[in-house]
Amino acid sequence: MTAVRTRRRVALLACLLSGCASLANAAGGTLRIITWADYVPADVVAQFTKETGIKVEVALSNNEEIISKLRATRGAGFDLAQPSQDRILGPQQEFGIYKPIDLAKVQVDRIQPDLLATVRRNATIGGRLYALPYVWGAEGLVVNTKRTQINDYLDLCRADLRGRTSVRLRRPTLMAFAFAMGKDPFALYSDTKAYTALMEQVGARLIACKANFRFFFDNRDQLLNGMRSGELHAAMMWDSGGWKLNRENPDIKFIAPKSGALGWLDTYALPARGKNEAAAYAWINFTLRPEIAARIAKSIGNFSAAKGADQLTDPVLRAQFAASFPEGFKSVRWYPAIPPGLEEIEGRILDRVKAAK
Amino acid sequence: MAETTTQASQRLILWLLLAPALIWLLGLILLPHLDLALLSLRERTGPGEYAFGLAQYRTFFSEPLYWDVFVRTATLSVIATALTLLLAFPIAWTIAKLTRGRLSALLFAVCLIPFWVSETVRTLGWMILLRETGVLPSLLVTLGVTEVPIEMLYRDATILVGLVYTSLLFMVVPLYGSLESLDDSLIEAGYDLGGNGWTVLRTVVIPHAAPGITAGCIVVFMLTLGNYLTASLLGGKNSLWFTEQIYTQFITRFNWEQGAAFGFLLLALSSVMVWIGLRLSGQRFSDVMSRT
Amino acid sequence: MTTFDLEAKGLSKHFGTHTAVDALSFGVERGSFFSILGPSGCGKTTLLRMIAGFVEPDAGDVEIGGRSMRGVPPNRRPVNMVFQQLALFPMMSVGENVAYGLARRGVRRADRERKVDEMLERVGLPGSAAKRVDQLSGGQRQRVAIARSLVLEPTLLLLDEPLGALDLKLRERMKIELKQLQAAFGTTFVYITHDQSEALVLSDRVAVMNGGRFEQVGTPQELYYSPATPFVAGFVGANNRIEGRVTSIDGDLVEVRSESGWAVHARRQGALRLGDAAAAFVRPEVAVLGRSMADLALAEPAAVHRGTVESLLFDGANSVVLLREQASRCEFRVALPQTGRYADLKVNEPVLFSFAADRAVCFATGSAHG
């Protein structure tokens, strides 16, 4: 009696210690995706499951968490991840959390070539490609024109906007302010010393500006609520969030800053120890279909990397786009891949900004 | 012979009974900590290459920022603990000495109510209440106390309020236990022999409740020190809480080595503070733990 | 003229509909040992707490040393209390316990220490100041508790059944010690207890309390030999109780006949008329026992009753034999003589017993007066 119970307990413990994950995953045909909010719409999942019989489990996350989680499991736990294209190279070199894409299994011809080229440039390691483009957009400024007028990131620091602006305490803010200060941080990526000096300058500028920031926002809704309630008059924001606000309140506009909007591009990447690779490729090809890609882009409010999915056919969005980017995308800067070690430098600067009084 | 067999089987049963606790302790507490300790003693020498070194701890002491956050977290935690004690004492006293039966059960329930919702929801509730366009600032304007709505979030005082609110129950329970066991006649004897409210509190009640007070303070201090959500959400742009630093190092900076070192420094801090607390109150650890 | 250290004037306390103390008035002479004796729930604790100041009376006043205590909090009253469980402060040493009250009065440390040492010496605990309370025996703690109060030289020392927690042997010793301490200090003691033996041994005067009132206040001897009410007769000391109706009256002596037909003679206490319901009380030691009339050796004529031995309750000097009266089957206790005679009585053995009518008392009971 006791022996049986003990044995069962031992089995249970062994199961606990080994994570028991293998049991849960044994059910074939499940695709586990770690991605951003809105990136995997429910109706698209439903159709995918209906067509392929593969179930989809979605974990919502952001760039840093994607990397951290995959690092913790050395690339296990998910079959597909969607980090930004500049966040592939460093983490991959450092932690080896992804595996290369087998282009033979992907309908590459469905991807917009210029976006694929950008990803190739930033996410190729040892001659092998580690990511494919998924959606893209640009980061700029959102402003309540009823309350104030601004042109560039540094305007967020104007005396009359004290306590009325917000940025994320993340690296895009450092990049944006560096450009606004007339510097090119991307050019200094490989020069650690000069880069550190620049970042310290940017940090000092942000600290000087700190009284203007009501808070540092952590997620989109926090920022949107701040703008809606009128607590914020202007903030750094990405396009889809800005246009969403604009649809609700025409006074709130999303603008490309004078020093240039920063372009981001999120990808498909395969975690190194993903279990269901076939399902991941099936999903990639499924979502590259123009009509599916269009639905996804609409859900996110950004632009798809798939050919023929350009939702700029939506007249409202087309008008918003034209208003925000009068010169088209010429002024958008794309993030180059971040070499390992850079983020530690930036991290220390961000900590200092946060701690400053 | 038979006796040895019984002894052996008894020992086996003892080990089997202890096994889950031991495995828990070893597998889920000790081993991860060992792993973290080793991690904190690594420094990065190149992509994916590490060497043994104290760089992580050096960074902590050489970068004033981390040290400041560390001291700030400790200071605010001590203040929060003291405020919680001040607030919890009358509550515990009321429950233990002034009310009986249903009323004291009701008072306990009131202390429990905050825990019926998750910490996230609770904290978000506070944010809705206190933000500039929130309930309380608007109310103050309506009442004519302030002319324009004032932002009540993102201040140290707000963090303290949140922390105290979250910790109250953990102070009330051990305090209640130690006050409950205080014989009423001791209090009366204190008065009878000429003591007033303050001297009876100081000479009779507090010495008797000392193990409970210490236990409550240790629990609350550790909870506050290790708090993440309340401090970061209510604190806003200036709130640097040490746990936030650890989270940042692990999650957004991918700097596990630094995070691990911070974790150990926090562990050391709480151990030192607990030790100081025990020394100051003249309590023994075992006595105090039996009260929690 | 007698001076009272404690005077209660129309003192009342109600808890809801329950009357704990009912319009009590009494005085306690300076330097005397006064006991309040009563069963639990009789209101004696409430009375004591009103004197100490922990309970506010609904009506009436307490005067201590001639001063009204209305509105005076416990810590300002010239009264100290020895609590039931003694309530020594466990986290303080013996010396600190005794010094506690002095410190509250602002007595300087050197004076405090001197007084504490003196006091400990007087209560027979010299050199114990540094000891922890839990190192003392029960009796020693008792003395510390008294020393802690007496060092403040109170007008009145209240004692709330302080011997209750002690074992029998110690209790007997502490009774004597308490009496000696009181005599030595000369402080007025007010002592409450439910133990009649404590009250009788210790007190100059005893008040028997029941239902919030004093049934009788008097010396122990008065209470024992001349109880004023059936309650006192039944509560103070052992007593046989025979209930019935008054069948004849002869001056102070009455005959009470029980329903089962047993007639006894007793001295009348209070008004009684023929036919009244009444109870006679006979103390076991008042009755004499014999196997034959010759054994009884009556000094004066008295009724002789017959009974059978029900059981023998041996308790040293307090041994009694439990009888049943032959005709009525009423229970009756008779003390066994100290000589050891009749120790050989057998169960069911027929015996004779008798008692002098003027040493038995009789009260009216119930609503016989209409």
Side-chain angles (χ1 to χ4, degrees):
Chain A
M1 182 70 180
T2 322
V4 171
R5 217 177 279 165
T6 317
R7 205 174 301 155
R8 208 178 288 162
R9 188 173 297 165
V10 168
L12 186 74
L13 273 166
C15 174
L16 269 174
L17 291 173
S18 65
C20 252
S22 48
L23 281 176
N25 297 342
T30 304
L31 172 65
R32 293 159 307 156
I33 310 180
I34 182 162
T35 186
W36 307 70
D38 299 336
Y39 271 37
V40 177
D43 58 317
V44 173
V45 168
Q47 189 179 335
F48 178 69
T49 305
K50 205 171 150 196
E51 282 184 23
T52 62
I54 300 169
K55 275 184 261 161
V56 178
E57 287 168 11
V58 180
L60 299 183
S61 194
N62 58 44
N63 268 326
E64 289 82 8
E65 261 183 41
I66 290 173
I67 298 165
S68 296
K69 283 189 175 158
L70 291 178
R71 180 188 174 185
T73 58
R74 273 167 294 138
F78 297 98
D79 306 306
L80 186 70
Q82 305 211 271
S84 297
Q85 53 97 11
D86 55 322
R87 305 300 277 268
I88 306 262
L89 180 77
Q92 176 59 21
Q93 284 178 339
E94 194 78 31
F95 313 124
I97 51 180
Y98 301 115
K99 56 188 167 194
I101 306 270
D102 183 353
L103 289 174
K105 294 182 180 164
V106 180
Q107 292 164 300
V108 184
D109 53 328
R110 285 192 169 164
I111 302 172
Q112 293 187 38
D114 48 339
L115 294 174
L116 184 59
T118 305
V119 174
R120 269 187 199 281
R121 199 163 53 242
N122 287 335
T124 303
I125 302 163
R128 304 169 82 176
L129 182 59
Y130 280 83
L132 293 171
Y134 183 56
V135 286
W136 60 278
E139 195 152 4
L141 290 162
V142 61
V143 55
N144 188 333
T145 53
K146 254 277 180 52
R147 312 256 189 184
T148 188
Q149 293 293 332
I150 60 169
N151 292 314
D152 207 348
Y153 295 115
L154 288 181
D155 288 342
L156 294 176
C157 300
R158 254 178 13 216
D160 61 305
L161 286 175
R162 195 184 164 86
R164 295 292 168 197
T165 69
S166 184
V167 295
R168 278 178 298 169
L169 204 55
R170 292 277 166 87
R171 66 180 315 271
T173 307
L174 294 175
M175 300 303 112
F177 271 70
F179 281 115
M181 288 161 74
K183 305 285 172 24
D184 183 358
F186 297 163
L188 300 178
Y189 264 17
S190 50
D191 183 349
T192 312
K193 222 170 159 185
Y195 189 74
T196 308
L198 173 60
M199 284 302 115
E200 273 169 4
Q201 252 179 294
V202 174
R205 189 74 193 82
L206 283 170
I207 288 170
C209 183
K210 200 174 172 189
N212 273 36
F213 302 134
R214 185 172 203 85
F215 50 77
F216 296 118
F217 71 98
D218 285 319
N219 57 63
R220 189 182 70 163
D221 287 332
Q222 197 186 354
L223 192 274
L224 297 193
N225 284 332
M227 290 299 295
R228 284 180 190 130
S229 68
E231 286 175 4
L232 295 178
H233 295 173
M236 186 168 166
M237 186 64 208
W238 51 92
D239 45 11
S240 59
W243 288 329
K244 187 176 167 69
L245 285 169
N246 179 253
R247 281 194 295 279
E248 294 168 10
N249 177 0
D251 291 335
I252 301 177
K253 296 211 157 71
F254 176 74
I255 60 164
K258 219 170 65 204
S259 58
L262 288 164
W264 51 265
L265 175 51
D266 291 340
T267 66
Y268 302 102
L270 300 176
R273 299 202 293 155
K275 288 243 159 63
N276 206 343
E277 209 179 298
Y281 282 115
W283 173 261
I284 293 173
N285 287 322
F286 177 75
T287 49
L288 282 175
R289 284 188 210 161
E291 76 279 8
I292 301 290
R295 263 157 64 190
I296 292 172
K298 184 146 194 201
S299 153
I300 307 174
N302 283 95
F303 312 110
S304 172
K307 276 187 204 162
D310 195 343
Q311 88 279 28
L312 283 179
T313 47
D314 174 8
V316 177
L317 192 63
R318 194 163 57 219
Q320 286 178 321
F321 181 82
S324 298
F325 297 98
E327 305 164 41
F329 267 117
K330 259 181 256 158
S331 62
V332 173
R333 293 176 210 276
W334 297 100
Y335 286 106
I338 312 162
L342 269 199
E343 289 186 272
E344 211 182 312
I345 300 167
E346 295 159 3
R348 217 166 294 169
I349 303 294
L350 293 173
D351 281 345
R352 262 183 233 167
V353 175
K354 174 119 203 218
K357 287 284 164 205
Chain B
M1 185 63 199
E3 202 176 282
T4 9
T5 327
T6 349
Q7 274 180 353
S9 65
Q10 271 177 354
R11 201 173 308 148
L12 181 70
I13 289 172
L14 183 72
W15 279 109
L16 284 175
L17 285 171
L18 278 176
L22 284 177
I23 290 173
W24 172 269
L25 218 64
L26 193 77
L28 294 168
I29 298 174
L30 221 57
L31 286 181
H33 272 82
L34 262 170
D35 197 30
L36 279 180
L38 290 176
L39 201 60
S40 76
L41 292 170
R42 292 198 317 188
E43 48 187 273
R44 182 176 178 274
T45 50
E49 288 170 29
Y50 297 92
F52 178 83
L54 288 170
Q56 313 305 339
Y57 293 94
R58 264 202 304 279
T59 314
F60 172 79
F61 288 105
S62 61
E63 171 72 58
L65 161 70
Y66 299 139
W67 179 246
D68 289 349
V69 175
F70 195 67
V71 171
R72 182 191 135 85
T73 308
T75 315
L76 279 179
S77 294
V78 169
I79 296 173
T81 307
L83 287 177
T84 311
L85 177 62
L86 285 180
L87 210 63
F89 199 91
I91 299 175
W93 181 266
T94 310
I95 298 176
K97 292 289 172 206
L98 305 181
T99 58
R100 293 274 173 277
R102 296 178 78 132
L103 190 58
S104 53
L106 186 79
L107 274 169
F108 253 130
V110 169
C111 290
L112 251 172
I113 283 173
F115 297 89
W116 287 351
V117 294
S118 77
E119 192 186 4
T120 323
V121 175
R122 223 181 316 145
T123 312
L124 289 173
W126 279 94
M127 295 185 75
I128 291 169
L129 204 68
L130 297 176
R131 64 187 299 176
E132 187 186 347
T133 51
V135 180
L136 200 57
S138 329
L139 192 72
L140 288 180
V141 174
T142 319
L143 293 175
V145 180
T146 53
E147 273 180 32
V148 289
I150 46 164
E151 180 63 88
M152 293 184 153
L153 279 179
Y154 319 131
R155 295 163 191 259
D156 284 354
T158 316
I159 302 183
L160 283 177
V161 170
L163 289 175
V164 168
Y165 182 77
T166 307
S167 314
L168 207 53
L169 184 73
F170 299 97
M171 187 67 93
V172 168
V173 170
L175 274 186
Y176 167 79
S178 64
L179 290 177
E180 163 91 309
S181 69
L182 173 62
D183 189 350
D184 286 353
S185 67
L186 285 181
I187 302 165
E188 288 181 349
Y191 279 109
D192 186 67
L193 294 166
N196 54 31
W198 164 245
T199 51
V200 169
L201 181 73
R202 186 170 55 83
T203 55
V204 179
V205 179
I206 290 180
H208 177 89
I213 293 173
T214 317
C217 285
I218 289 177
V219 171
V220 168
F221 179 75
M222 295 221 202
L223 278 177
T224 334
L225 201 66
N227 188 294
Y228 176 73
L229 262 179
T230 308
S232 58
L233 285 182
L234 294 181
K237 62 178 180 181
N238 293 319
S239 106
L240 268 179
W241 209 251
F242 205 66
T243 46
E244 224 180 320
Q245 288 281 309
I246 297 174
Y247 176 87
T248 310
Q249 291 300 340
F250 269 99
I251 303 298
T252 56
R253 310 256 192 282
F254 325 124
N255 197 343
W256 288 13
E257 292 73 24
Q258 190 69 69
F262 283 0
F264 268 89
L265 287 162
L266 193 65
L267 187 68
L269 173 68
S270 59
S271 309
V272 167
M273 297 299 277
V274 167
W275 182 77
I276 291 175
L278 288 173
R279 287 312 291 269
L280 282 182
S281 62
Q283 298 294 314
R284 268 174 310 178
F285 189 68
S286 54
D287 291 354
V288 169
M289 282 304 107
S290 63
R291 293 290 184 132
T292 39
Chain C
M1 196 190 114
T2 47
T3 39
F4 290 124
D5 265 347
L6 169 67
E7 248 193 304
K9 295 180 171 171
L11 213 50
S12 288
K13 182 70 194 179
H14 306 271
F15 294 111
T17 55
H18 172 71
T19 304
V21 174
D22 190 4
L24 265 186
S25 298
F26 65 96
V28 176
E29 267 177 60
R30 171 158 302 168
S32 67
F33 196 123
F34 185 84
S35 289
I36 299 163
L37 171 67
S40 58
C42 72
K44 59 187 191 296
T45 302
T46 308
L47 175 60
L48 197 74
R49 292 171 65 78
M50 281 197 283
I51 301 170
F54 294 122
V55 173
E56 191 72 18
D58 293 337
D61 191 16
V62 174
E63 282 181 12
I64 296 169
R67 203 156 62 86
S68 166
M69 288 294 121
R70 195 170 285 148
V72 180
N75 51 354
R76 299 269 173 76
R77 295 192 179 198
V79 171
N80 289 110
M81 186 152 160
V82 175
F83 289 82
Q84 195 162 18
Q85 307 292 333
L86 302 183
L88 293 178
F89 303 126
M91 49 280 180
M92 297 181 200
S93 70
V94 169
E96 285 168 334
N97 262 287
V98 179
Y100 181 89
L102 295 172
R104 302 287 81 76
R105 284 188 184 172
V107 177
R108 277 181 305 135
R109 176 178 282 270
D111 293 343
R112 231 152 59 197
E113 281 170 5
R114 189 175 46 76
K115 284 195 167 187
V116 166
D117 287 343
E118 272 174 28
M119 182 50 73
L120 285 174
E121 180 117 30
R122 282 183 82 179
V123 299
L125 291 170
S128 315
K131 283 191 183 160
R132 285 203 321 273
V133 169
D134 56 17
Q135 287 175 306
L136 301 183
S137 70
Q140 289 171 324
R141 284 187 213 190
Q142 167 99 25
R143 281 184 258 169
V144 173
I146 292 168
R148 183 174 74 170
S149 294
L150 289 185
V151 76
L152 299 173
E153 296 168 354
T155 309
L156 204 61
L157 184 71
L158 307 176
L159 299 102
D160 182 4
E161 305 204 34
L163 303 185
L166 304 179
D167 61 60
L168 186 70
K169 266 265 155 53
L170 192 55
R171 193 150 62 204
E172 292 305 319
R173 231 183 59 214
M174 287 315 296
K175 273 190 216 168
I176 301 163
E177 222 168 85
L178 261 179
K179 183 90 178 160
Q180 288 169 342
L181 276 173
Q182 197 264 338
F185 282 89
T187 309
T188 313
F189 277 32
V190 173
Y191 186 98
I192 69 169
T193 181
H194 65 271
D195 183 321
Q196 42 106 6
S197 142
E198 282 174 26
L200 296 183
V201 170
L202 291 169
S203 317
D204 296 320
R205 287 172 76 75
V206 179
V208 179
M209 194 171 180
N210 184 36
R213 293 175 153 277
F214 283 175
E215 296 265 342
Q216 186 175 4
V217 183
T219 63
Q221 291 81 358
E222 283 167 358
L223 296 181
Y224 195 82
Y225 294 117
S226 307
T229 67
F231 178 81
V232 176
F235 194 74
V236 177
N239 241 332
N240 290 298
R241 181 185 176 112
I242 300 126
E243 293 204 48
R245 289 194 179 271
V246 177
T247 45
S248 77
I249 302 180
D250 175 15
D252 261 357
L253 291 183
V254 294
E255 186 190 65
V256 175
R257 188 177 291 271
S258 74
E259 257 178 52
S260 45
W262 185 27
V264 294
H265 292 90
R267 186 159 47 88
R268 183 173 59 141
Q269 295 285 84
L272 272 177
R273 288 173 312 191
L274 272 176
D276 279 355
F281 290 88
V282 186
R283 295 208 180 273
E285 71 270 22
V286 162
V288 285
L289 195 65
R291 286 191 166 107
S292 65
M293 286 299 283
D295 288 342
L296 294 175
L298 298 171
E300 45 194 289
V304 173
H305 308 278
R306 290 172 187 281
T308 50
V309 174
E310 175 94 1
S311 59
L312 215 58
L313 309 173
F314 181 76
D315 183 15
N318 301 319
S319 300
V320 293
V321 57
L322 187 60
L323 306 174
R324 281 204 184 275
E325 201 273 328
Q326 206 171 37
S328 66
R329 307 304 295 160
C330 282
E331 208 172 73
F332 195 87
R333 284 160 187 256
V334 180
L336 281 176
Q338 304 293 309
T339 54
R341 205 176 163 198
Y342 303 122
D344 59 343
L345 281 176
K346 301 272 178 305
V347 173
N348 287 332
E349 190 180 336
V351 286
L352 302 175
F353 62 97
S354 174
F355 53 87
D358 63 341
R359 297 190 67 186
V361 290
C362 177
F363 302 93
T365 55
S367 52
H369 289 293

